[in-house]
Amino acid sequence: QVQLQESGPGLVKPSETLSLICTVSGGSISSYYWTWIRQPPGKGLEWIGYMYYSGSTNYNPSLESRVTISIDTSKNQFSLKLSSVTAADTAIYYCTRDPSLFSGYFDFWGQGTLVTVSS
Amino acid sequence: DIQMTQSPSSLSASVGDRVTITCRASQTISTYLNWYQQKPGKAPKFLMSAASSLQSGVPSRFSGSGSGTDFTLTISSLQPEDSATYYCQQSYSTPRTFGQGTKVEIK
């Protein structure tokens, strides 16, 4: 059974860069589309983007100028960097798996990590 | 972006009731529609893909239907453990987008 676990700072200062890592266990990170989704407290879900294990990416245009998703196949990890954060980026960040380019759904989720943007 | 609109935003029903949640897309998405269940403090759980294909392990009281722009999620006999927020999500195009959620409460 595939398991995903997010890790990273829970507090980030405004204008700085949010950095999170997702560790995948119980399966290989090779193949699949590894995706980040976020949820502001008490609100709905927002797709941030994905990276395929081979390196191709697709980001939400609303965040594209600030987002980088990368993958480390040797560690079975993928990561999220979001630059120039503001209070609007405060959210629970989930790492997820999308089985294929033609599925577009998220079958495995991490437990989520709350990132607060505040000075 | 494709906008997804769910109705109602919340509902309250009794155990054993039939519950229907509606999801509407701002443009046609064929059957590229998925459903998730989220309980408080937990990550969303994947329920169904392609509008009506139930994920393994999901109880058969859950069913989905629809194509084009209008979709429904039905719980045939509501159980206490079904109290949650339900989200639809389109996978027709990127950026992937979600409905705003429907909160289901037990009377």
Side-chain angles (χ1 to χ4, degrees):
Chain A
Q1 178 82 340
V2 173
Q3 292 186 315
L4 294 82
Q5 177 69 58
E6 304 89 351
S7 59
L11 181 63
V12 181
K13 290 182 170 55
S15 80
E16 296 189 344
T17 296
L18 178 160
S19 295
L20 296 174
I21 290 173
C22 181
T23 301
V24 180
S25 59
S28 174
I29 204 166
S30 297
S31 299
Y32 306 113
Y33 290 75
W34 301 98
T35 303
W36 289 95
I37 291 168
R38 69 180 183 178
Q39 184 173 37
K43 296 188 178 180
L45 299 159
E46 180 180 30
W47 179 81
I48 298 171
Y50 69 63
M51 172 168 254
Y52 187 49
Y53 81 103
S54 64
S56 64
T57 56
N58 190 322
Y59 299 138
N60 193 322
S62 68
L63 299 168
E64 188 165 17
S65 63
R66 300 192 290 130
V67 171
T68 303
I69 298 175
S70 57
I71 196 163
D72 186 337
T73 54
S74 68
K75 295 182 178 179
N76 242 34
Q77 293 177 334
F78 63 106
S79 65
L80 170 70
K81 291 189 186 297
L82 182 66
S83 64
S84 304
V85 297
T86 70
D89 296 309
T90 294
I92 299 170
Y93 286 76
Y94 295 101
C95 59
T96 73
R97 189 186 83 166
D98 179 346
S100 78
L101 181 63
F102 302 104
S103 57
Y105 56 78
F106 314 107
D107 57 356
F108 289 97
W109 295 64
Q111 65 186 26
T113 187
L114 175 62
V115 178
T116 301
V117 178
S118 175
S119 56
Chain B
D1 300 5
I2 297 175
Q3 306 303 316
M4 307 300 295
T5 304
Q6 290 180 232
S7 61
S9 296
S10 65
L11 66 89
S12 182
S14 299
V15 172
D17 283 354
R18 182 181 182 88
V19 168
T20 298
I21 298 167
T22 297
C23 177
R24 175 164 290 176
S26 61
Q27 66 182 72
T28 184
I29 58 171
S30 185
T31 56
Y32 290 92
L33 192 283
N34 312 298
W35 290 98
Y36 302 84
Q37 176 194 64
Q38 186 177 33
K39 296 184 178 180
K42 299 293 187 181
K45 173 187 175 182
F46 174 52
L47 293 180
M48 196 178 308
S49 64
S52 61
S53 182
L54 214 58
Q55 173 77 341
S56 175
V58 175
S60 60
R61 62 181 179 274
F62 290 90
S63 64
S65 66
S67 66
T69 60
D70 294 321
F71 303 86
T72 59
L73 172 69
T74 299
I75 308 173
S76 61
S77 177
L78 190 66
Q79 299 301 303
E81 61 267 31
D82 300 334
S83 178
T85 299
Y86 293 84
Y87 292 93
C88 62
Q89 174 247 326
Q90 64 82 18
S91 49
Y92 182 82
S93 65
T94 58
R96 310 299 190 202
T97 48
F98 294 83
Q100 81 280 14
T102 295
K103 187 174 184 178
V104 174
E105 295 179 324
I106 308 296
K107 281 182 185 175

